[in-house]
């Protein structure tokens, strides 16, 4: 089974590039920028990766981002992830970045996106990994700040494919961003939003009805509402599920209780993703391997999950077909 998982071509659709910041690289970049990290050793830093909820994780994630200053920093961060992606037999990535995490502390939008984008270009050349870019708004900030960010993205419209919504979920429902997502849709972006990670199924409904999302990030709490399950299945709205993230952030108390199998059995269009792998204890193959073991998923289910990742991606139909035609397992 592990060999099958490793061999399967996969797309990663829910990945925060800032969440791939490995401690070794963090210390290296801090040093070259003459900045101090709150922790004096890698082990001390890793010991802090013990979260009780999403907010505890986010506090550390934003703090770590403080050492990212130059275009090269964003380049190195992204290129390091792409190397890992290659090792995981990921053939296509749709990475999220949070420009506000950086512009809020005085880094230019252009520095962030140009560093990330150059690494994606080089990664495609060096590893054959195709890519899309998702710009995510921070939901703990205002809708006005999201509008400013959307405006900053205008010169980069050709390289940004989708708009997302992330950060602290509870208390910041999708409806807070209805107008800015209407504008993003007008501008032609594909829409995705984190919903139903910690907050209830009503947040998933709002993402659908108010933001008119094309895809949902997480969506675990959708299972609370049979009408929502039916709606998601009938409309083939993909959920980007992240098992190890859910475990580390205590969305589930044990992988044996993870809702993925129930989602599959309910006919939902689910995919497996790593979210913030540097913090959550594993990249994509680890997510597949651990959830397969915990839920005793069959080979057919594993193959289906990998196929779903290609089908739910933003690739064109003919590109999807080329990859799926190679699924001879
Ligand atoms: N949830 C919400 N916001 C995030 C996450 C997450 O898992 N990772 C980075 N930002
Ligand atoms: Zn996420």
């Amino acid at each position: 089974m592990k060999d099958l998982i490793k061999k399967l071509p996969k797309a990663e659709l829910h990945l925060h590039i800032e969440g791939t910041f490995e401690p070794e690289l963090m210390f290296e970049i801090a040093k070259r920028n003459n900045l101090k990290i709150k922790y004096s050793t890698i082990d001390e830093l890793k010991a802090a990766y013990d979260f009780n909820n999403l907010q505890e994780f986010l506090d550390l994630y934003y703090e770590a981002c403080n050492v990212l200053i130059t275009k090269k920093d964003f380049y190195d961060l992204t290129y390091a992830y792409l190397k890992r992606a290659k090792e995981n037999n990921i053939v296509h990535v749709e990475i999220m970045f949070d420009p506000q995490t950086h512009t809020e502390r005085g880094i230019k939008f252009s520095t962030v996106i140009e560093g990330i984008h150059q690494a994606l270009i080089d990664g495609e050349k060096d590893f054959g990994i195709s890519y899309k870019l998702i710009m995510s708004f921070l939901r703990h900030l205002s809708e006005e700040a999201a509008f400013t960010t959307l405006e900053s993205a205008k010169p980069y419209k050709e390289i940004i494919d989708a708009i997302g919504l992330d950060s602290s979920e509870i208390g910041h429902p999708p409806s807070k961003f209805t107008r800015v997502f209407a504008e993003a849709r007008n501008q032609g972006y594909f829409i995705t939003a984190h919903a139903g990670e910690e907050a209830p199924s009503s947040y998933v409904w709002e993402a659908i009805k108010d933001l008119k999302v094309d895809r949902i990030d997480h969506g675990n709490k959708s299972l609370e509402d049979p009408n929502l399950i039916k709606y998601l299945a009938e409309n083939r709205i993909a959920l980007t599920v992240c098992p190890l993230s859910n475990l580390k952030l205590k969305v589930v108390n044990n992988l044996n209780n993870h809702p993925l199998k129930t989602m599959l059995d309910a006919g939902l269009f689910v995919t497996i993703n790593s979210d913030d792998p540097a913090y959550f204890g594993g990249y994509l193959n680890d997510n597949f391997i651990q959830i397969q073991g915990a839920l005793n998923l069959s080979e057919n289910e594993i193959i289906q999950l990998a196929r779903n990742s290609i089908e739910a991606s933003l690739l064109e139909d003919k590109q999807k077909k080329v990859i799926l035609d190679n699924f001879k397992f």
Side-chain angles (χ1 to χ4, degrees):
M1 188 65 88
K2 275 190 194 164
D3 281 349
L4 171 69
I5 289 171
K6 288 179 186 165
K7 269 195 289 192
L8 279 167
K10 294 165 290 281
E12 174 132 82
L13 309 180
H14 182 162
L15 183 280
H16 303 265
I17 198 63
E18 295 92 343
T20 68
F21 205 4
E22 289 287 345
E24 291 75 10
L25 186 61
M26 208 184 285
F27 275 88
E28 186 187 318
I29 289 182
K31 190 164 170 221
R32 75 184 184 211
N33 289 334
N34 287 315
L35 292 167
K36 276 249 165 310
I37 293 178
K38 207 165 93 181
Y39 304 91
S40 45
T41 63
I42 287 176
D43 284 345
E44 220 179 89
L45 170 64
K46 282 188 178 164
Y49 293 5
D50 180 22
F51 313 112
N52 289 304
N53 52 45
L54 174 60
Q55 192 58 51
E56 287 187 11
F57 155 68
L58 289 172
D59 291 343
L60 196 87
Y61 164 99
Y62 293 128
E63 164 138 4
C65 287
N66 286 334
V67 303
L68 295 165
I69 309 290
T70 66
K71 215 183 269 190
K72 179 167 166 45
D73 299 340
F74 288 95
Y75 179 95
D76 289 351
L77 173 70
T78 308
Y79 197 82
Y81 164 68
L82 292 169
K83 268 192 197 159
R84 300 267 194 170
K86 178 71 183 169
E87 288 161 14
N88 282 256
N89 207 19
I90 294 172
V91 296
H92 174 71
V93 293
E94 300 192 350
I95 69 166
M96 265 177 261
F97 72 114
D98 296 337
Q100 290 159 293
T101 298
H102 315 294
T103 53
E104 283 268 295
R105 53 189 182 85
I107 308 297
K108 284 197 201 141
F109 188 96
S110 58
T111 301
V112 180
I113 192 163
E114 289 173 16
I116 294 171
H117 186 234
Q118 189 58 49
L120 289 168
I121 293 171
D122 291 352
E124 181 159 43
K125 195 160 37 92
D126 297 346
F127 308 125
I129 300 173
S130 58
Y131 61 87
K132 302 285 178 188
L133 200 46
I134 305 171
M135 180 178 86
S136 241
F137 299 135
L138 297 183
R139 70 201 307 158
H140 65 274
L141 300 178
S142 67
E143 186 178 47
E144 199 188 340
F147 267 113
T148 305
T149 306
L150 189 60
E151 192 59 31
S152 308
K154 276 220 169 113
Y156 300 97
K157 180 105 199 356
E158 289 307 307
I159 59 174
I160 299 172
D161 303 280
I163 301 292
L165 182 67
D166 63 13
S167 189
S168 320
E169 188 180 16
I170 292 172
H172 303 285
S175 53
K176 178 178 163 187
F177 296 92
T178 301
R179 292 173 314 156
V180 72
F181 274 87
E183 177 56 25
R185 285 199 317 279
N186 259 338
Q187 293 183 17
Y189 290 107
F190 179 93
I191 304 293
T192 178
H194 284 55
E197 179 182 13
E198 285 188 337
S201 53
S202 60
Y203 278 49
V204 180
W205 274 124
E206 283 192 11
I208 294 168
K209 303 279 186 202
D210 296 340
L211 308 189
K212 304 195 170 30
V213 291
D214 301 291
R215 205 159 73 195
I216 294 278
D217 294 315
H218 295 294
N220 296 41
K221 296 289 182 343
S222 306
L223 293 179
E224 293 169 355
D225 180 349
N227 289 328
L228 179 55
I229 296 171
K230 191 159 172 271
Y231 186 93
L232 290 168
E234 282 178 2
N235 291 281
R236 238 176 118 62
I237 297 176
L239 305 181
T240 62
V241 175
C242 307
L244 291 177
S245 165
N246 294 155
L247 182 65
K248 276 298 254 186
L249 301 186
K250 299 198 165 49
V251 168
V252 296
N253 58 12
N254 190 307
L255 278 187
N256 298 318
N257 300 327
H258 194 281
L260 184 75
K261 171 84 177 137
T262 312
M263 289 169 161
L264 280 168
D265 291 347
L268 294 180
F269 188 14
V270 280
T271 64
I272 294 187
N273 305 272
S274 70
D275 208 5
D276 302 282
Y279 293 94
F280 298 154
Y283 284 77
L284 191 57
N285 283 347
D286 296 320
N287 273 273
F288 267 86
I289 290 166
Q290 292 201 39
I291 199 68
Q292 186 281 326
L295 301 179
N296 198 21
L297 300 176
S298 68
E299 283 195 4
N300 280 342
E301 285 169 323
I302 289 297
I303 293 168
Q304 188 62 55
L305 287 161
R307 292 188 72 95
N308 286 356
S309 73
I310 307 298
E311 282 171 3
S313 77
L314 285 165
L315 289 167
E316 287 172 18
D317 286 347
K318 61 175 190 294
Q319 296 172 303
K320 291 180 186 176
K321 188 170 180 310
V322 171
I323 300 171
L324 292 171
D325 282 350
N326 279 327
F327 269 69
K328 301 198 173 66
F329 298 96

